[in-house]
Amino acid sequence: MEVAILTVGDEVLAGDIANANAQWLATRLTDSGATVDRILTIPDDRERIAATVSEWTTAVDAAIVTGGLGGTHDDVTADALADAFGRELVVDESVRRDVLETVADYRGLDPETVTADELEFDVDAWAALPEGSRPVVNPEGLCPGCVLENVYAFPGVPAEMQALYERVAAEFSGDAVSRVAYTPQPEGSMAAAIDGVRERFDVTIGSYPDTERRNRLKVTGTDPETVDRALEWLAERVDLAAEE
């Protein structure tokens, strides 16, 4: 399963916050056996988000979009998703109720009796999602996520994004298997061995240098036995230590 990750936010591009969401998602997806095909960050630009999503829906098995959901002026991701699929924004009553109850609870009001007018809060702006999408109610915050065909959209707040991803995590899987080992050898001294692994086995191998003389090698393939044999072959030619 090939997955693309799109993070949306001017603040990420400005360096105001780290792109922790992309790293977290890439790790979780890889652990599930899926393959991350690409990661891209773009600004809060409705047209660019829509164009990217439109392109990715046919290029990968699934796309995950984080950031830009909500009811503030720069939250344009829901609109962009609706544009990409030719849909309108609608408000699901169960989502609306969840948003209302979340705001009421935050303000110390009774969520069973409070109304949107009493809150003086635009509940519908925060609850609106593209028509036909599957809502993913947010257990950690205000803004819901959604699934529209093969596109998954989550809020950008890391705790909220992670909570929503866990609700659909079972929908991401694949055959990719990885093994990791460490070596004190310089990367340059391993070039022939790394090339040999690629030539002899149906695997990919990544070499990640470390300044503490603890360089990391990661072997990835779709067959566990092949990956193990590749690592064994490599261990005969490179000074490897087992993964910690």
mmCIF file of all heavy atoms in Angstrom, residues 206-233:
data_model
loop_
_atom_site.group_PDB
_atom_site.id
_atom_site.type_symbol
_atom_site.label_atom_id
_atom_site.label_comp_id
_atom_site.label_asym_id
_atom_site.label_seq_id
_atom_site.Cartn_x
_atom_site.Cartn_y
_atom_site.Cartn_z
ATOM 1 N N GLY A 206 19.046 1.434 3.088
ATOM 2 C CA GLY A 206 19.370 2.818 3.400
ATOM 3 C C GLY A 206 20.527 2.880 4.375
ATOM 4 O O GLY A 206 20.629 2.058 5.296
ATOM 5 N N SER A 207 21.411 3.831 4.155
ATOM 6 C CA SER A 207 22.562 4.025 5.037
ATOM 7 C C SER A 207 22.458 5.412 5.643
ATOM 8 O O SER A 207 22.355 6.414 4.921
ATOM 9 C CB SER A 207 23.863 3.892 4.246
ATOM 10 O OG SER A 207 24.977 4.210 5.051
ATOM 11 N N TYR A 208 22.480 5.483 6.980
ATOM 12 C CA TYR A 208 22.252 6.744 7.681
ATOM 13 C C TYR A 208 23.408 7.017 8.639
ATOM 14 O O TYR A 208 23.464 6.459 9.741
ATOM 15 C CB TYR A 208 20.927 6.688 8.434
ATOM 16 C CG TYR A 208 19.789 6.228 7.552
ATOM 17 C CD1 TYR A 208 19.326 4.924 7.619
ATOM 18 C CD2 TYR A 208 19.220 7.094 6.619
ATOM 19 C CE1 TYR A 208 18.299 4.484 6.794
ATOM 20 C CE2 TYR A 208 18.192 6.666 5.789
ATOM 21 C CZ TYR A 208 17.739 5.359 5.878
ATOM 22 O OH TYR A 208 16.729 4.925 5.044
ATOM 23 N N PRO A 209 24.357 7.852 8.216
ATOM 24 C CA PRO A 209 25.549 8.132 9.033
ATOM 25 C C PRO A 209 25.201 8.835 10.339
ATOM 26 O O PRO A 209 24.218 9.578 10.426
ATOM 27 C CB PRO A 209 26.392 9.041 8.129
ATOM 28 C CG PRO A 209 25.879 8.799 6.750
ATOM 29 C CD PRO A 209 24.418 8.508 6.913
ATOM 30 N N ASP A 210 26.026 8.587 11.337
ATOM 31 C CA ASP A 210 25.856 9.206 12.639
ATOM 32 C C ASP A 210 27.223 9.683 13.124
ATOM 33 O O ASP A 210 28.232 8.997 12.950
ATOM 34 C CB ASP A 210 25.268 8.204 13.633
ATOM 35 C CG ASP A 210 24.983 8.814 14.986
ATOM 36 O OD1 ASP A 210 25.893 8.786 15.839
ATOM 37 O OD2 ASP A 210 23.869 9.305 15.187
ATOM 38 N N THR A 211 27.254 10.845 13.737
ATOM 39 C CA THR A 211 28.538 11.408 14.167
ATOM 40 C C THR A 211 29.152 10.662 15.343
ATOM 41 O O THR A 211 30.320 10.855 15.661
ATOM 42 C CB THR A 211 28.362 12.889 14.561
ATOM 43 O OG1 THR A 211 27.355 12.985 15.575
ATOM 44 C CG2 THR A 211 27.952 13.729 13.359
ATOM 45 N N GLU A 212 28.386 9.815 16.001
ATOM 46 C CA GLU A 212 28.893 9.045 17.143
ATOM 47 C C GLU A 212 29.448 7.687 16.716
ATOM 48 O O GLU A 212 29.578 6.780 17.536
ATOM 49 C CB GLU A 212 27.764 8.839 18.166
ATOM 50 C CG GLU A 212 27.183 10.124 18.725
ATOM 51 C CD GLU A 212 28.216 10.937 19.477
ATOM 52 O OE1 GLU A 212 29.068 10.329 20.160
ATOM 53 O OE2 GLU A 212 28.177 12.179 19.388
ATOM 54 N N ARG A 213 29.776 7.552 15.429
ATOM 55 C CA ARG A 213 30.312 6.295 14.904
ATOM 56 C C ARG A 213 29.341 5.136 15.157
ATOM 57 O O ARG A 213 29.736 4.012 15.488
ATOM 58 C CB ARG A 213 31.687 5.969 15.514
ATOM 59 C CG ARG A 213 32.789 6.894 15.030
ATOM 60 C CD ARG A 213 34.114 6.557 15.696
ATOM 61 N NE ARG A 213 34.467 5.153 15.536
ATOM 62 C CZ ARG A 213 35.065 4.630 14.458
ATOM 63 N NH1 ARG A 213 35.330 5.413 13.423
ATOM 64 N NH2 ARG A 213 35.376 3.353 14.407
ATOM 65 N N ARG A 214 28.081 5.427 15.005
ATOM 66 C CA ARG A 214 27.050 4.404 15.143
ATOM 67 C C ARG A 214 26.105 4.541 13.948
ATOM 68 O O ARG A 214 24.950 4.950 14.061
ATOM 69 C CB ARG A 214 26.310 4.578 16.469
ATOM 70 C CG ARG A 214 25.326 3.471 16.763
ATOM 71 C CD ARG A 214 24.853 3.565 18.204
ATOM 72 N NE ARG A 214 23.645 2.757 18.406
ATOM 73 C CZ ARG A 214 23.639 1.435 18.450
ATOM 74 N NH1 ARG A 214 24.745 0.760 18.286
ATOM 75 N NH2 ARG A 214 22.508 0.782 18.647
ATOM 76 N N ASN A 215 26.625 4.211 12.781
ATOM 77 C CA ASN A 215 25.863 4.373 11.559
ATOM 78 C C ASN A 215 24.774 3.303 11.454
ATOM 79 O O ASN A 215 24.982 2.147 11.832
ATOM 80 C CB ASN A 215 26.787 4.295 10.345
ATOM 81 C CG ASN A 215 27.843 5.387 10.399
ATOM 82 O OD1 ASN A 215 27.575 6.492 10.835
ATOM 83 N ND2 ASN A 215 29.063 5.065 9.980
ATOM 84 N N ARG A 216 23.647 3.709 10.924
ATOM 85 C CA ARG A 216 22.476 2.817 10.862
ATOM 86 C C ARG A 216 22.256 2.333 9.436
ATOM 87 O O ARG A 216 22.305 3.117 8.490
ATOM 88 C CB ARG A 216 21.237 3.558 11.368
ATOM 89 C CG ARG A 216 19.972 2.706 11.415
ATOM 90 C CD ARG A 216 18.913 3.383 12.276
ATOM 91 N NE ARG A 216 18.497 4.655 11.720
ATOM 92 C CZ ARG A 216 17.394 4.826 10.991
ATOM 93 N NH1 ARG A 216 16.594 3.784 10.734
ATOM 94 N NH2 ARG A 216 17.062 6.008 10.530
ATOM 95 N N LEU A 217 21.995 1.042 9.294
ATOM 96 C CA LEU A 217 21.651 0.440 8.009
ATOM 97 C C LEU A 217 20.250 -0.155 8.118
ATOM 98 O O LEU A 217 19.941 -0.868 9.080
ATOM 99 C CB LEU A 217 22.644 -0.667 7.645
ATOM 100 C CG LEU A 217 24.089 -0.225 7.386
ATOM 101 C CD1 LEU A 217 24.984 -1.438 7.219
ATOM 102 C CD2 LEU A 217 24.154 0.661 6.144
ATOM 103 N N LYS A 218 19.414 0.144 7.139
ATOM 104 C CA LYS A 218 18.040 -0.342 7.157
ATOM 105 C C LYS A 218 17.759 -1.082 5.857
ATOM 106 O O LYS A 218 17.846 -0.515 4.771
ATOM 107 C CB LYS A 218 17.062 0.823 7.321
ATOM 108 C CG LYS A 218 15.594 0.406 7.417
ATOM 109 C CD LYS A 218 14.707 1.615 7.655
ATOM 110 C CE LYS A 218 13.253 1.224 7.792
ATOM 111 N NZ LYS A 218 12.377 2.404 8.033
ATOM 112 N N VAL A 219 17.419 -2.367 5.983
ATOM 113 C CA VAL A 219 17.126 -3.211 4.828
ATOM 114 C C VAL A 219 15.614 -3.439 4.770
ATOM 115 O O VAL A 219 15.010 -3.869 5.760
ATOM 116 C CB VAL A 219 17.863 -4.562 4.921
ATOM 117 C CG1 VAL A 219 17.555 -5.429 3.698
ATOM 118 C CG2 VAL A 219 19.367 -4.339 5.052
ATOM 119 N N THR A 220 15.016 -3.179 3.613
ATOM 120 C CA THR A 220 13.562 -3.260 3.468
ATOM 121 C C THR A 220 13.194 -4.084 2.241
ATOM 122 O O THR A 220 13.809 -3.952 1.176
ATOM 123 C CB THR A 220 12.944 -1.860 3.335
ATOM 124 O OG1 THR A 220 13.298 -1.072 4.477
ATOM 125 C CG2 THR A 220 11.426 -1.935 3.238
ATOM 126 N N GLY A 221 12.190 -4.935 2.395
ATOM 127 C CA GLY A 221 11.676 -5.724 1.280
ATOM 128 C C GLY A 221 10.267 -6.184 1.589
ATOM 129 O O GLY A 221 9.669 -5.782 2.593
ATOM 130 N N THR A 222 9.726 -7.047 0.751
ATOM 131 C CA THR A 222 8.365 -7.540 0.964
ATOM 132 C C THR A 222 8.329 -8.978 1.473
ATOM 133 O O THR A 222 7.274 -9.465 1.861
ATOM 134 C CB THR A 222 7.553 -7.454 -0.342
ATOM 135 O OG1 THR A 222 8.240 -8.185 -1.370
ATOM 136 C CG2 THR A 222 7.375 -6.005 -0.776
ATOM 137 N N ASP A 223 9.485 -9.647 1.468
ATOM 138 C CA ASP A 223 9.561 -11.019 1.957
ATOM 139 C C ASP A 223 10.505 -11.074 3.154
ATOM 140 O O ASP A 223 11.703 -10.787 3.013
ATOM 141 C CB ASP A 223 10.072 -11.948 0.852
ATOM 142 C CG ASP A 223 10.240 -13.376 1.353
ATOM 143 O OD1 ASP A 223 9.259 -13.932 1.872
ATOM 144 O OD2 ASP A 223 11.358 -13.910 1.236
ATOM 145 N N PRO A 224 10.007 -11.426 4.334
ATOM 146 C CA PRO A 224 10.855 -11.428 5.536
ATOM 147 C C PRO A 224 12.102 -12.291 5.409
ATOM 148 O O PRO A 224 13.178 -11.919 5.880
ATOM 149 C CB PRO A 224 9.909 -11.960 6.628
ATOM 150 C CG PRO A 224 8.543 -11.653 6.131
ATOM 151 C CD PRO A 224 8.611 -11.780 4.643
ATOM 152 N N GLU A 225 11.981 -13.454 4.775
ATOM 153 C CA GLU A 225 13.136 -14.338 4.642
ATOM 154 C C GLU A 225 14.206 -13.703 3.757
ATOM 155 O O GLU A 225 15.411 -13.822 4.034
ATOM 156 C CB GLU A 225 12.703 -15.687 4.071
ATOM 157 C CG GLU A 225 11.836 -16.504 5.034
ATOM 158 C CD GLU A 225 11.519 -17.875 4.477
ATOM 159 O OE1 GLU A 225 11.999 -18.188 3.358
ATOM 160 O OE2 GLU A 225 10.789 -18.622 5.149
ATOM 161 N N THR A 226 13.778 -13.049 2.691
ATOM 162 C CA THR A 226 14.735 -12.382 1.812
ATOM 163 C C THR A 226 15.446 -11.258 2.541
ATOM 164 O O THR A 226 16.659 -11.078 2.409
ATOM 165 C CB THR A 226 14.018 -11.831 0.565
ATOM 166 O OG1 THR A 226 13.402 -12.910 -0.146
ATOM 167 C CG2 THR A 226 14.998 -11.115 -0.356
ATOM 168 N N VAL A 227 14.706 -10.509 3.329
ATOM 169 C CA VAL A 227 15.305 -9.423 4.100
ATOM 170 C C VAL A 227 16.326 -9.980 5.083
ATOM 171 O O VAL A 227 17.424 -9.439 5.238
ATOM 172 C CB VAL A 227 14.223 -8.608 4.834
ATOM 173 C CG1 VAL A 227 14.854 -7.593 5.780
ATOM 174 C CG2 VAL A 227 13.325 -7.898 3.830
ATOM 175 N N ASP A 228 15.979 -11.073 5.750
ATOM 176 C CA ASP A 228 16.902 -11.684 6.709
ATOM 177 C C ASP A 228 18.167 -12.189 6.013
ATOM 178 O O ASP A 228 19.287 -12.019 6.523
ATOM 179 C CB ASP A 228 16.216 -12.832 7.445
ATOM 180 C CG ASP A 228 15.176 -12.348 8.440
ATOM 181 O OD1 ASP A 228 15.249 -11.166 8.835
ATOM 182 O OD2 ASP A 228 14.292 -13.141 8.816
ATOM 183 N N ARG A 229 18.003 -12.821 4.848
ATOM 184 C CA ARG A 229 19.171 -13.319 4.116
ATOM 185 C C ARG A 229 20.063 -12.172 3.657
ATOM 186 O O ARG A 229 21.299 -12.271 3.694
ATOM 187 C CB ARG A 229 18.736 -14.145 2.906
ATOM 188 C CG ARG A 229 18.132 -15.504 3.252
ATOM 189 C CD ARG A 229 18.178 -16.452 2.066
ATOM 190 N NE ARG A 229 17.562 -15.869 0.876
ATOM 191 C CZ ARG A 229 16.273 -15.944 0.579
ATOM 192 N NH1 ARG A 229 15.455 -16.592 1.392
ATOM 193 N NH2 ARG A 229 15.808 -15.407 -0.522
ATOM 194 N N ALA A 230 19.441 -11.094 3.230
ATOM 195 C CA ALA A 230 20.207 -9.929 2.794
ATOM 196 C C ALA A 230 21.035 -9.362 3.945
ATOM 197 O O ALA A 230 22.203 -8.996 3.770
ATOM 198 C CB ALA A 230 19.271 -8.865 2.233
ATOM 199 N N LEU A 231 20.420 -9.315 5.128
ATOM 200 C CA LEU A 231 21.141 -8.784 6.287
ATOM 201 C C LEU A 231 22.269 -9.733 6.704
ATOM 202 O O LEU A 231 23.355 -9.283 7.098
ATOM 203 C CB LEU A 231 20.161 -8.565 7.442
ATOM 204 C CG LEU A 231 20.652 -7.662 8.581
ATOM 205 C CD1 LEU A 231 21.016 -6.283 8.064
ATOM 206 C CD2 LEU A 231 19.582 -7.545 9.661
ATOM 207 N N GLU A 232 22.029 -11.029 6.595
ATOM 208 C CA GLU A 232 23.070 -12.001 6.917
ATOM 209 C C GLU A 232 24.247 -11.869 5.946
ATOM 210 O O GLU A 232 25.412 -11.937 6.343
ATOM 211 C CB GLU A 232 22.493 -13.418 6.864
ATOM 212 C CG GLU A 232 21.518 -13.723 7.995
ATOM 213 C CD GLU A 232 20.793 -15.036 7.781
ATOM 214 O OE1 GLU A 232 21.091 -15.719 6.761
ATOM 215 O OE2 GLU A 232 19.922 -15.380 8.612
ATOM 216 N N TRP A 233 23.929 -11.707 4.659
ATOM 217 C CA TRP A 233 24.973 -11.536 3.644
ATOM 218 C C TRP A 233 25.782 -10.271 3.938
ATOM 219 O O TRP A 233 27.005 -10.258 3.844
ATOM 220 C CB TRP A 233 24.330 -11.455 2.265
ATOM 221 C CG TRP A 233 25.294 -11.433 1.112
ATOM 222 C CD1 TRP A 233 25.771 -12.508 0.424
ATOM 223 C CD2 TRP A 233 25.890 -10.271 0.532
ATOM 224 N NE1 TRP A 233 26.628 -12.092 -0.566
ATOM 225 C CE2 TRP A 233 26.733 -10.720 -0.524
ATOM 226 C CE3 TRP A 233 25.818 -8.908 0.778
ATOM 227 C CZ2 TRP A 233 27.470 -9.857 -1.321
ATOM 228 C CZ3 TRP A 233 26.557 -8.034 -0.005
ATOM 229 C CH2 TRP A 233 27.375 -8.507 -1.036
#
